[in-house]
Amino acid sequence: MKLSTSFNALALASRALAAHIPRQSNDTGYSVQEPPLTTPWTYEVGTDPWPEYPRPLFQRPQWQSLNGIWRHQNYSSIQAVNSPPVGQTLQNAVMVPSCLESGLSGLQGEYMFYNWYSTSFTVPQSWTGDRVLLNFGAVDYEATVVVNGQEAGFNRGGYHAFSLDITELLTSGTNELLVFAHDPTDSDPFVIPIGKQTLRPSHIFYRPCSGIWQSVWIESAPANYVTELNLNADMDGKVSGAISTSTNTSTSVEMIFTLRGGSGGASTHGASTGDFSFTVESPALWSLDSPNLYDIEITVGQDKFKSYTGFRTVSRGVIDGIERPLLNGEFVFLFGTLDQGYWPDGLYVPPNYEAMVYDLKTLKQIGYNGLRKHIKVETDLFYKACDEMGLFLIQDMPSLRPLQERTLADCTVETIEPNAAQQAEFQRQLELLIQQHRNYPSILIWVIYNEGWGQITEPYYPEFALTDIVEGLDPSRLVIATSGWYDHGAGDFSDNHHYANPQCGSPFYSIQSSPYDPSRIGIQGEFGGIGQNTTIEHLWNVQEAINAINQTYEIDETRDAWNYRAHRLLGELEDQVEMYACSGGIWTQTTDVEGEVNGMLTYDRRVLRPDLAQWNADINALYDAAAARSNSSMRLL
């Protein structure tokens, strides 16, 4: 296999350096714990991780990162939450943010159900008189926050951000921050959104991620500050949305739009808090080929912050009798990878920003124009990178406890499904996913259920009501109600999963997928998945994972054979684009993960499998075939 010179030079240089970097250690007692597999960035993390501003769509000028080395102690009972260790030195040094089960955390623990964290901070004197907000990107799964011995707030849900006004709890000197994280993962009796996390890793289900796994920071805000910004900009220049504030009083709003990297003046628009709508004349549109973004300076009363947006419209249309996804009124063939966002050293957490965007740049180089973010939610910086690079995103809701059964007292076996309260909590967290991510231009499609995982499959079929809720919260995007398997007709897509061969918008299907429904858009939500084993240097060195490698859908013994098989499968997909109603496909997957060896990259990101010339040609053939089907009459819906 031949790789491009530029890719090899970059990859080999960074990996050669990484191989000789010693393990991080300092007087805090923290050090990286050797994971079962490293990446080129494992020992480059240092003690000031993720220094970038964590929330690029809502960036206040005065902020302070609390990331770094905290103290941590694991407890044996949920009752530990009732006894905050105020003024105590906890047992271990821990990296924040990180997964407690990861090597980067400094712990690499197991069964991290009940955890106290502690750190301290000082508020800058220049913030005197302002409100001080404490922000968490995500804590898995429940977080109880204590500031200077007093409870500041509670949050449930491992994939969304939350903010607390801690002004009244602060002192003029050093402040103590304690966080209790409770993460049951898939222990009984919990049925919660966990994606692919499990306490019992096995092939396609992986080591869990507990605790504070996204950035923590404080920031200064005026007495009446913005609590939520909802903003959508379409291809006609219409900007609409809503702004909420802490006091819910009507306040003047000024927005200044400036094309990033462009010439010419800025466009200024006034509004007030609550719902707003106005038009920017002749905007440069955001697309996959030209991801134009507009930086926005927003002033709401005394609150000033920065954001950005992209002008684009996502819709459905009928072309020659076939339902198609449209971006800015044109059929765009969506071809990406199943992107699970796992790292051998950090699990849910990439070692740093460079590592995170390395995956995205690699996908662009291979020829993909997007990815399906598979039952995981990323940091805001990930979505920003996709916005800037022109990569589309299909964003999954993390699944409830998937594909598990329990044995009852009478020895009968039942499939674990959510009860009414658990289903209501799933809906609440789905709504938060939409509300917190609907401003990112790169997200084109929401996914509610994957392959029946946590899905109630008897009538009443909850995906119909959930689709209505998603469309109500965000009418600017399309919805895949069920990706694969139990499809009862909800949503915008007829989504087929089949390994290894595609069955995309075609007159043939297999028992695990529903037949193509011509009243909706045909997409191959997962296919490929062919694997190629590698040497132990590039494998997740856990025996149970190695034993599971042969569960991969297909194993090809050499990289040449792997590329040959990929060429044939991509050719089949091209046929289905030309002959039938295929509008997009998702190849499994971006990287290997634990016992899966079917990635574009190995799990350590050190080996790239695709023959780039071949893959570029095959993927371009898909785009060309789709373009040939889009030059006919079109009717918008």
Side-chain angles (χ1 to χ4, degrees):
M1 183 185 74
K2 294 181 179 180
L3 305 182
S4 73
T5 303
S6 60
F7 183 94
N8 265 335
L10 172 65
L12 293 176
S14 65
R15 287 160 191 170
L17 283 172
H20 296 94
I21 292 176
R23 185 175 301 188
Q24 293 287 342
S25 182
N26 53 72
D27 59 8
T28 65
Y30 166 80
S31 63
V32 175
Q33 296 298 300
E34 185 76 22
L37 183 66
T38 65
T39 71
W41 304 274
T42 300
Y43 299 117
E44 296 180 0
V45 174
T47 56
D48 182 27
W50 291 94
E52 300 84 2
Y53 186 86
R55 194 182 55 205
L57 282 176
F58 194 170
Q59 182 168 347
R60 287 196 170 94
Q62 297 189 86
W63 72 287
Q64 178 179 310
S65 174
L66 299 187
N67 292 347
I69 308 305
W70 293 31
R71 303 299 299 181
H72 166 272
Q73 193 161 325
N74 185 236
Y75 291 80
S76 61
S77 166
I78 189 65
Q79 299 306 317
V81 71
N82 298 320
S83 302
V86 177
Q88 300 177 32
T89 300
L90 300 184
Q91 192 172 40
N92 305 299
V94 65
M95 177 71 78
V96 170
S98 65
C99 303
L100 294 175
E101 295 84 355
S102 73
L104 291 185
S105 72
L107 301 177
Q108 203 158 212
E110 292 184 289
Y111 306 107
M112 307 300 283
F113 298 143
Y114 316 109
N115 309 273
W116 272 111
Y117 292 82
S118 70
T119 192
S120 61
F121 63 93
T122 301
V123 178
Q125 278 193 327
S126 60
W127 296 10
T128 301
D130 288 344
R131 309 305 295 179
V132 177
L133 308 180
L134 171 62
N135 303 289
F136 293 84
V139 181
D140 197 359
Y141 171 69
E142 294 177 332
T144 301
V145 181
V146 176
V147 176
N148 293 327
Q150 299 182 67
E151 184 169 334
F154 171 82
N155 183 76
R156 175 177 290 122
Y159 297 96
H160 60 262
F162 62 99
S163 181
L164 304 170
D165 186 339
I166 60 171
T167 311
E168 308 305 328
L169 306 180
L170 298 174
T171 68
S172 59
T174 299
N175 296 274
E176 182 185 51
L177 171 60
L178 301 172
V179 179
F180 184 81
H182 169 220
D183 184 19
T185 312
D186 55 353
S187 60
D188 280 331
F190 296 93
V191 180
I192 60 175
I194 56 174
K196 286 199 168 187
Q197 300 180 73
T198 181
L199 296 170
R200 298 167 291 280
S202 60
H203 195 46
I204 66 169
F205 299 102
Y206 318 128
R207 184 177 290 193
C209 174
S210 300
I212 305 172
W213 70 276
Q214 290 193 27
S215 288
V216 186
W217 73 104
I218 56 173
E219 62 189 6
S220 171
N224 183 30
Y225 57 88
V226 173
T227 56
E228 184 176 7
L229 169 67
N230 174 22
L231 188 150
N232 178 66
D234 70 19
M235 62 183 288
D236 298 318
K238 181 180 179 181
V239 180
S240 58
I243 290 178
S244 302
T245 65
S246 57
T247 64
N248 293 316
T249 56
S250 181
T251 307
S252 64
V253 177
E254 181 185 72
M255 299 187 188
I256 303 175
F257 288 74
T258 306
L259 177 62
R260 187 179 298 178
S263 58
S267 176
T268 303
H269 299 268
S272 60
T273 52
D275 296 337
F276 61 82
S277 178
F278 53 82
T279 299
V280 173
E281 297 296 330
S282 305
L285 301 186
W286 186 93
S287 69
L288 302 182
D289 294 325
S290 299
N292 295 302
L293 295 173
Y294 281 77
D295 291 315
I296 314 173
E297 295 180 25
I298 302 176
T299 303
V300 182
Q302 299 299 311
D303 201 1
K304 296 182 179 182
F305 56 93
K306 294 181 179 180
S307 188
Y308 70 86
T309 193
F311 288 82
R312 93 288 182 269
T313 297
V314 183
S315 59
R316 285 172 60 178
V318 178
I319 303 175
D320 279 354
I322 298 175
E323 296 279 346
R324 299 295 194 186
L326 307 178
L327 179 59
N328 300 329
E330 297 181 356
F331 168 37
V332 175
F333 189 81
L334 304 174
F335 192 62
T337 54
L338 196 74
D339 191 275
Q340 308 209 63
Y342 270 83
W343 296 79
D345 43 18
L347 303 179
Y348 263 17
V349 184
N352 54 31
Y353 187 85
E354 176 194 359
M356 181 186 73
V357 299
Y358 179 83
D359 281 5
L360 299 176
K361 290 177 179 178
T362 301
L363 294 182
K364 290 276 286 190
Q365 187 179 31
I366 296 168
Y368 293 103
N369 61 3
L371 53 103
R372 177 183 171 200
K373 178 43 62 180
H374 190 42
I375 55 178
K376 181 197 174 190
V377 181
E378 292 288 354
T379 69
D380 287 357
L381 292 168
F382 178 91
Y383 299 98
K384 173 178 177 281
C386 291
D387 291 344
E388 293 174 339
M389 295 172 66
L391 287 166
F392 80 80
L393 282 164
I394 299 174
Q395 176 63 56
D396 289 13
M397 172 64 188
S399 299
L400 292 166
R401 191 170 171 177
L403 297 182
Q404 292 188 3
E405 299 175 330
R406 62 165 64 97
T407 302
L408 303 179
D410 61 1
C411 295
T412 60
V413 177
E414 68 173 8
T415 300
I416 296 174
E417 290 188 343
N419 59 31
Q422 292 160 346
Q423 182 68 21
E425 180 62 22
F426 176 79
Q427 176 182 320
R428 185 187 73 86
Q429 293 188 35
L430 171 64
E431 292 175 12
L432 284 169
L433 170 68
I434 308 303
Q435 291 165 346
Q436 294 190 1
H437 295 84
R438 59 189 170 189
N439 291 357
Y440 290 104
S442 54
I443 299 177
L444 306 187
I445 300 165
W446 303 111
V447 178
I448 299 174
Y449 286 114
N450 176 75
E451 294 187 350
W453 299 358
Q455 178 185 356
I456 297 170
T457 56
E458 300 85 25
Y460 64 107
Y461 302 143
E463 63 267 25
F464 284 94
L466 292 175
T467 298
D468 290 343
I469 289 168
V470 172
E471 291 175 342
L473 290 169
D474 181 15
S476 70
R477 291 180 175 84
L478 303 179
V479 179
I480 297 175
T482 55
S483 187
W485 299 20
Y486 303 111
D487 183 0
H488 305 109
D492 296 298
F493 290 83
S494 180
D495 186 335
N496 178 286
H497 290 191
H498 188 248
Y499 293 99
N501 309 69
Q503 300 173 341
C504 184
S506 67
F508 43 86
Y509 66 99
S510 58
I511 191 168
Q512 284 188 329
S513 279
S514 303
Y516 165 60
D517 174 3
S519 71
R520 294 177 292 154
I521 300 165
I523 191 170
Q524 190 67 43
E526 295 181 29
F527 84 114
I530 56 174
Q532 186 260 323
N533 204 350
T534 184
T535 59
I536 190 63
E537 290 82 6
H538 305 294
L539 288 173
W540 180 246
N541 195 4
V542 174
Q543 192 60 47
E544 292 84 353
I546 293 171
N547 294 343
I549 285 173
N550 281 336
Q551 295 178 35
T552 302
Y553 307 105
E554 172 183 310
I555 290 288
D556 303 316
E557 292 188 355
T558 66
R559 201 180 306 176
D560 286 343
W562 183 89
N563 276 290
Y564 165 75
R565 286 290 294 138
H567 173 67
R568 302 299 296 181
L569 295 174
L570 292 172
E572 285 191 44
L573 188 67
E574 181 187 350
D575 289 344
Q576 292 166 28
V577 177
E578 292 176 342
M579 298 171 61
Y580 303 125
C582 183
S583 292
I586 299 297
W587 181 279
T588 303
Q589 58 185 321
T590 302
T591 73
D592 297 352
V593 185
E594 298 193 8
E596 295 187 87
V597 292
N598 51 5
M600 298 290 103
L601 291 159
T602 51
Y603 198 19
D604 61 0
R605 276 72 171 174
R606 288 185 167 97
V607 177
L608 179 71
R609 288 192 177 94
D611 178 317
L612 289 178
Q614 173 197 304
W615 277 75
N616 287 170
D618 288 343
I619 293 176
N620 282 329
L622 293 173
Y623 299 146
D624 290 344
R629 299 294 303 274
S630 64
N631 293 328
S632 302
S633 60
M634 179 173 67
R635 174 172 58 83
L636 298 180
L637 295 182

